[in-house]
């Protein structure tokens, strides 16, 4: 209890309690029982072990106090008190703290700070901005709610719907009493809780897709909802052009595969156009994704859309040799008439490999992009007539080139390497808004384009 009275003088609505850490299992021993951190990719084991205090916040605490904690006691947790904090106040405190952290890095409108003044180009700005964002997330990840082992959020007030929170918690050992512990509750970062609530809204409400007659697509937690319209416009326009070709295949079968399917939206748009236009063909849509919730989302959406010709499986196209065996197990066809791919557009390393959002937006060293070409090289249908050759439809962007993260004409380079050619191209500007005007990369994003390439074997 060193300096307990000094710390209490910051704000009367804070109580300080030493936290005893069970190093073996990362459990904190507190007045509210044993607590285990969950859904926090930012605090590693060594950082958890270094935590010395927990500050239990009550109604009335100010964000300035929390800001002072971040400066003076980084080895601490900030926990919303189960019994004396209301959710609406917790939200206000969290948002105010988030704003305070922004001010710490970027200053105020009257006294702005520019941490990017010494950057020599967009790549330096990108890397520094990622570092700042990571630091902000690390700080905010110390602000936690307590969630009981049965998924109950322990805070006062009316809670928003978020589904079954137990789904997002680590399972406790069945023989927990035999190994010397009682059931423990969880520390869930407030940022993770907000993400779960937002994801549940998309899962429950869905996103109406214009090119599916405004039928809805649903996204499970960790899967991006299909809210961006530009790539859907490009793809739907292309599909309508494709089906006007006199004969896209000699066969009575037309097999399509969507690589990295996500919610499955592109495969569904393709299916809708093909079923209406190629009525003399048997259309089969296959898909792959390396994220389990993406595969589940795609299967749920196919059922909702009543597409019985749609199949989704868990597979990683960056491991092409393993995937070759899996495709046989899945009973996928040996060749495809159409391969669809919309890989991550940012060619950059992952700061945290266990951050699900980061994993879906970055492609380190362009591995996934190259793997798509390798897959197409092996599995594109080859027929005698030029019009019937299989097609790779790549949806991409030049944003990595504008940020100097990727060499220019990367797609063209891969085409030459795999003896392929771009036979059709279209693009749209990438519309993005930044109401708070804090994104230092905004000018590059606003100048970038969403691209669609039709690529075929020479």
């Amino acid at each position: 209890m060193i300096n307990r009275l000094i710390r209490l003088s910051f704000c009367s609505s804070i109580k300080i309690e030493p936290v005893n850490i069970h190093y073996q299992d990362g459990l904190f021993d507190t007045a509210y029982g044993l607590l285990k951190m969950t859904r926090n990719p930012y605090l590693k084991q060594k950082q958890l072990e270094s935590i010395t205090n927990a500050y239990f916040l009550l109604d009335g605490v100010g964000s300035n106090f929390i800001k002072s904690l971040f400066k003076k006691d980084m080895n601490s947790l900030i926990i919303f008190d189960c019994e004396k904090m209301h959710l609406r106040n917790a939200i206000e405190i969290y948002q105010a703290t988030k704003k305070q952290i922004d001010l710490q890095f970027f200053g105020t409108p009257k006294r702005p700070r520019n941490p990017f003044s010494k950057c020599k180009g967009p790549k330096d700005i990108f890397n520094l901005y990622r570092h700042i964002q990571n630091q902000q997330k690390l700080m905010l990840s110390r602000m936690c709610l307590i969630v009981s082992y049965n998924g109950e959020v322990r805070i006062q007030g009316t809670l928003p719907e978020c589904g079954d929170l137990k789904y997002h918690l680590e399972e406790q050992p069945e023989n927990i009493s035999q190994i010397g512990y009682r059931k423990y509750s969880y520390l869930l970062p407030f940022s993770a809780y907000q993400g779960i609530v937002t994801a549940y809204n998309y899962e429950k409400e869905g996103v109406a897709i214009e090119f599916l007659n405004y039928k809805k697509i649903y996204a499970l937690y960790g899967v991006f909802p299909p809210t961006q319209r530009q790539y859907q416009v490009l793809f739907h326009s292309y599909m309508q052009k494709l089906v006007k070709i006199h004969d896209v295949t000699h066969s009575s079968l037309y097999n399509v595969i969507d690589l990295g399917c996500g919610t499955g939206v592109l495969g569904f748009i393709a299916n809708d156009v093909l079923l209406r236009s190629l009525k003399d063909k048997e259309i089969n849509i296959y898909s792959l994704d390396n994220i389990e919730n993406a595969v589940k989302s795609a299967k749920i959406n196919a059922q909702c859309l009543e597409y019985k010709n749609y199949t989704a499986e868990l597979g990683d196209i960056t491991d092409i040799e393993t995937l070759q065996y899996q495709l046989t197990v899945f009973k996928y066809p040996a060749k495809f008439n159409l391969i669809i791919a919309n890989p991550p557009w940012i060619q950059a390393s992952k700061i945290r490999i266990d951050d699900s959002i980061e994993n879906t937006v970055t492609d380190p060293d362009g591995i996934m992009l190259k793997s798509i070409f390798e897959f197409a090289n092996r599995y594109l249908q080859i027929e005698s007539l030029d019009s019937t050759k299989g097609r790779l439809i790549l949806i991409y962007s030049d944003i990595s080139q504008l940020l100097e993260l990727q060499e220019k004409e990367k797609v063209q380079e891969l085409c030459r390497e795999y003896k392929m050619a771009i036979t059709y191209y279209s693009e749209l500007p990438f519309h993005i808004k930044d109401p708070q005007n804090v994104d230092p990369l905004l000018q590059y994003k606003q100048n970038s384009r969403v691209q669609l390439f039709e690529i075929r074997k020479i």
Side-chain angles (χ1 to χ4, degrees):
M1 289 299 215
I2 298 173
N3 295 329
R4 176 184 173 92
L5 293 177
I6 295 176
R7 289 179 179 175
L8 281 172
S9 68
F10 280 114
C11 180
S12 61
S13 57
I14 299 291
K15 68 178 180 182
I16 307 300
E17 176 183 323
V19 175
N20 298 317
I21 299 176
H22 292 252
Y23 291 99
Q24 182 179 354
D25 299 303
L27 295 171
F28 301 116
D29 191 1
T30 75
Y32 291 105
L34 295 176
L35 304 176
K36 184 171 186 177
M37 184 67 71
T38 189
R39 290 286 172 183
N40 193 334
Y42 302 99
L43 291 177
K44 302 301 182 184
Q45 186 64 29
K46 287 185 178 180
Q47 291 170 301
L48 293 173
E49 292 172 358
S50 70
I51 291 172
T52 57
N53 288 303
Y55 296 76
F56 287 84
L57 302 189
L58 318 180
D59 283 340
V61 68
S63 60
N64 284 330
F65 175 79
I66 300 174
K67 179 184 176 183
S68 71
L69 289 184
F70 282 136
K71 287 184 177 180
K72 297 181 181 182
D73 194 355
M74 282 299 296
N75 292 329
S76 63
L77 287 177
I78 298 172
I79 302 172
F80 294 108
D81 194 287
C82 302
E83 301 170 353
K84 301 176 183 178
M85 172 65 74
H86 285 74
L87 180 63
R88 66 177 183 275
N89 294 331
I91 293 172
E92 291 177 2
I93 292 169
Y94 179 82
Q95 294 298 338
T97 303
K98 192 175 180 180
K99 186 175 181 180
Q100 288 282 359
I101 293 173
D102 280 338
L103 295 177
Q104 178 180 329
F105 286 97
F106 301 110
T108 66
K110 291 184 178 180
R111 301 182 65 180
R113 294 178 182 175
N114 182 10
F116 310 103
S117 58
K118 295 184 180 180
C119 292
K120 296 180 180 180
K123 184 176 181 179
D124 287 348
I125 296 174
F126 172 81
N127 288 327
L128 179 55
Y129 190 42
R130 287 183 86 197
H131 175 73
I132 289 173
Q133 288 180 311
N134 186 65
Q135 287 298 108
Q136 291 175 319
K137 291 175 181 177
L138 174 60
M139 294 168 75
L140 290 170
S141 73
R142 292 177 178 270
M143 300 181 69
C144 300
L145 291 165
I146 296 178
V147 180
S148 64
Y149 63 85
N150 61 2
E152 178 187 357
V153 179
R154 297 177 64 184
I155 197 167
Q156 302 301 306
T158 303
L159 304 180
E161 289 187 79
C162 63
D164 187 355
L165 262 184
K166 286 192 295 184
Y167 170 80
H168 300 279
L169 305 176
E170 301 170 35
E171 291 187 10
Q172 300 194 14
E174 293 182 4
N175 61 337
I176 189 166
S177 60
Q178 297 175 17
I179 60 176
Y181 293 109
R182 59 186 184 275
K183 282 189 177 294
Y184 48 82
S185 295
Y186 297 88
L187 287 170
L188 178 67
F190 198 81
S191 54
Y193 175 67
Q194 287 191 316
I196 290 169
V197 171
T198 300
Y200 181 74
N201 287 334
Y202 279 117
E203 180 182 341
K204 182 181 177 183
E205 302 297 331
V207 178
I209 304 299
E210 175 184 352
F211 305 110
L212 294 174
N213 294 319
Y214 293 95
K215 294 177 182 177
K216 290 187 175 182
I217 294 293
Y218 302 89
L220 298 179
Y221 182 79
V223 183
F224 273 116
T227 54
Q228 289 188 8
R229 187 172 180 272
Q230 292 98 322
Y231 72 89
Q232 297 175 33
V233 172
L234 284 175
F235 185 67
H236 182 260
S237 176
Y238 169 80
M239 288 302 302
Q240 290 193 315
K241 288 182 173 65
L242 175 66
V243 294
K244 291 178 181 178
I245 297 173
H246 176 67
D247 190 4
V248 294
T249 179
H250 288 311
S251 172
S252 61
L253 291 174
Y254 196 81
N255 293 322
V256 179
I257 188 165
D258 183 4
L259 303 178
C261 62
T263 59
V265 64
L266 291 178
F268 301 140
I269 292 174
N271 200 31
D272 184 71
V273 175
L274 292 170
L275 287 174
R276 285 187 285 105
S277 303
L278 303 182
K279 295 182 179 179
D280 60 330
K281 308 292 184 184
E282 180 184 334
I283 311 299
N284 295 300
I285 311 292
Y286 303 88
S287 61
L288 293 169
D289 205 293
N290 64 348
I291 298 174
E292 186 175 358
N293 266 8
V295 175
K296 289 180 179 179
S297 297
K299 288 181 176 180
I300 290 169
N301 290 321
Q303 291 177 349
C304 292
L305 295 169
E306 298 182 343
Y307 285 155
K308 296 181 180 180
N309 64 330
Y310 185 92
T311 305
E313 297 289 353
L314 189 67
D316 184 0
I317 68 165
T318 63
D319 185 359
I320 196 72
E321 301 304 328
T322 301
L323 185 61
Q324 185 173 356
Y325 167 75
Q326 289 178 318
L327 292 177
T328 303
V329 175
F330 299 153
K331 297 182 180 179
Y332 277 22
K335 298 290 181 181
F336 297 93
N337 303 94
L338 192 67
I339 297 175
I340 306 166
N342 180 16
W345 297 347
I346 302 296
Q347 185 173 309
S349 60
K350 302 181 190 299
I351 294 179
R352 299 183 182 277
I353 60 173
D354 49 358
D355 188 329
S356 60
I357 298 299
E358 172 128 335
N359 290 341
T360 56
V361 299
T362 56
D363 183 14
D365 300 319
I367 293 173
M368 186 168 183
L369 180 62
K370 184 176 177 64
S371 298
I372 288 167
F373 275 84
E374 179 64 33
F375 186 96
N377 185 53
R378 297 189 185 200
Y379 294 105
L380 266 182
Q381 181 69 48
I382 300 176
E383 296 188 18
S384 56
L385 293 178
D386 186 63
S387 65
T388 60
K389 285 183 179 178
R391 294 164 167 84
L392 165 62
I393 309 306
L394 176 67
I395 295 173
Y396 208 51
S397 172
D398 61 352
I399 182 62
S400 283
Q401 294 177 31
L402 294 178
L403 296 176
E404 299 176 357
L405 301 171
Q406 183 185 71
E407 58 268 35
K408 293 182 179 180
E409 298 190 344
K410 181 64 177 180
V411 173
Q412 290 83 345
E413 176 190 321
L414 287 168
C415 283
R416 290 190 290 271
E417 180 180 343
Y418 286 94
K419 294 182 172 54
M420 297 180 181
I422 298 169
T423 50
Y424 176 83
Y425 174 82
S426 60
E427 65 177 48
L428 283 174
F430 182 49
H431 297 297
I432 187 169
K433 297 179 180 179
D434 181 25
Q436 297 179 339
N437 196 30
V438 296
D439 188 348
L441 302 170
L442 183 62
Q443 62 172 316
Y444 301 102
K445 294 177 181 178
Q446 289 179 332
N447 291 330
S448 68
R449 299 163 294 175
V450 182
Q451 306 166 308
L452 183 145
F453 299 88
E454 179 194 75
I455 300 169
R456 303 165 78 182
K457 286 190 175 183
I458 299 174

